[in-house]
Amino acid sequence: MPEVVISGTGLYTPPGAISNDELVNAFNAWVDRENEKNKEAIAAGELEPLARSSSDFIEKASGIVNRYVVNREGVLDPQSMVPRIPERSNEDISVQCEMALHAARGALAQARVGPSGVDMIIVACSNMQRPYPAIAVEIQQFLSGGYGYDMNVACSSATFGIQAGVDAIRSGSAKRVLMVNPEICSGHLNFRDRDSHFIFGDACTAVLLEREDIARRKDGYRVLGCHLWTQFSNNIRNNFGFLNRADETGVGKPDKLFVQNGRKVFKEVCPQVVKHISDHLESLALTPSDLSRLWLHQANLNMNQLVARKLLGREPEPREAPVILNEYANTSSAGSIIAFHKHSLDLKAGDKGVICSFGAGYSIGSVVVEKQ
Ligand code: COA
């Protein structure tokens, strides 16, 4: 079976940065306005006042201090608290396709591959801006022939997408696979939900997978193995979908956006991630001490520190489990790939690491790589 390498990665970061203070100011302005509007009902004990948010809580509970979004103004406007992303005509490039091309250019340049060299495109992310035609097929017209499709495994989309690309190359149905993760999480985030308004940011990552013998870059990352796991849970859920119009009573309700039981997610997912990576390493005759780096899903700093500590059996050095969520927040499937993109070039030949994502489903995916 042919060996497969990650020969390039790319990252697109939207220009709109939002600090915790800015986000909290907008949230609290909305809370104060609502409480003022409802002051009589609140005074009469008929209504609970809404609670304010705080930057200190956000940083302590999550490690997040900043996020980037496609549109800042709409998110920070207490009247709307929704990103303003105008619809485009069918003749214009879609927003997700545009983000994906930015990230793809970086991955192709790193691999020294021209756009026509790609023969399969996978768009893997939590939310597609339309059901069809596939975003991947739209991207394809700017690159080459071959074929493309969209897939969604929420926060684990990228690792599941890598597995799909590796399988395609190993089976001979593709030689070069571009896997992209255009995440516009601000579109599904309820910026009026105090428990989660700070969680997400937007970004797009790209990964180029190639058959090792045709790769021009000789210092890429050989994929030693992929391992996927899913188990049904309602603790992270979004009921938005094409059947919503079939029952008007539910349209616009909070469950048509991201909803989670964060505490339960934390408690249930962390041990499973540790077991998942340990089992995966064992199947490759490796142990955690063989790993130079853990590029973990970037949702919560405490979660990542716990996973790294349990896996390594000691406190991890900061460089062993790099953190990007402080700057980017949770960018869903893009998170572990941003960590890999920004913190992998210093590895030496033979060094090994694991890219691991976890999220809704539940779903966990791991990709063990070795620097060439
Ligand atoms: N500002 C200030 N205080 C807040 C707040 C906010 N925005 N949101 C919640 N609080 C308060 C709560 O009211 C609660 O107060 P109480 O103890 O007096 O009742 C307290 O802070 C703790 O709230 P809780 O929601 O239990 O916080 P937490 O420590 O569990 O942190 C998360 C919340 C979401 C950051 C954390 O659970 C998490 O990251 N979980 C995993 C999420 C994840 O990975 N999801 C995957 C998504 S794809």
Side-chain angles (χ1 to χ4, degrees), residues 69-120:
V69 291
V70 170
N71 173 263
R72 235 176 78 87
E73 290 69 27
V75 170
L76 292 179
D77 178 357
Q79 302 284 348
S80 67
M81 297 167 86
V82 172
R84 289 187 204 114
I85 307 173
E87 283 193 16
R88 297 179 179 185
S89 101
N90 289 356
E91 315 321 315
D92 291 332
I93 187 171
S94 70
V95 182
Q96 283 185 304
C97 180
E98 191 170 58
M99 292 170 79
L101 286 176
H102 278 297
R105 272 184 214 114
L108 293 172
Q110 204 178 42
R112 300 196 293 280
V113 169
S116 60
V118 175
D119 50 14
M120 176 181 178

Side-chain angles (χ1 to χ4, degrees), residues 5-11 103-113 162 177-179 205-210 215 217 219-221 337 340-341 344-345:
V5 288
I6 295 177
S7 54
T9 54
L11 167 64
R105 272 184 214 114
L108 293 172
Q110 204 178 42
R112 300 196 293 280
V113 169
I162 290 174
V177 179
L178 178 71
M179 196 281 306
T205 42
V207 173
L208 188 72
L209 296 158
E210 292 188 80
R217 181 177 171 199
D219 62 345
Y221 305 82
I337 307 296
F340 178 78
H341 175 76
S344 55
L345 286 175

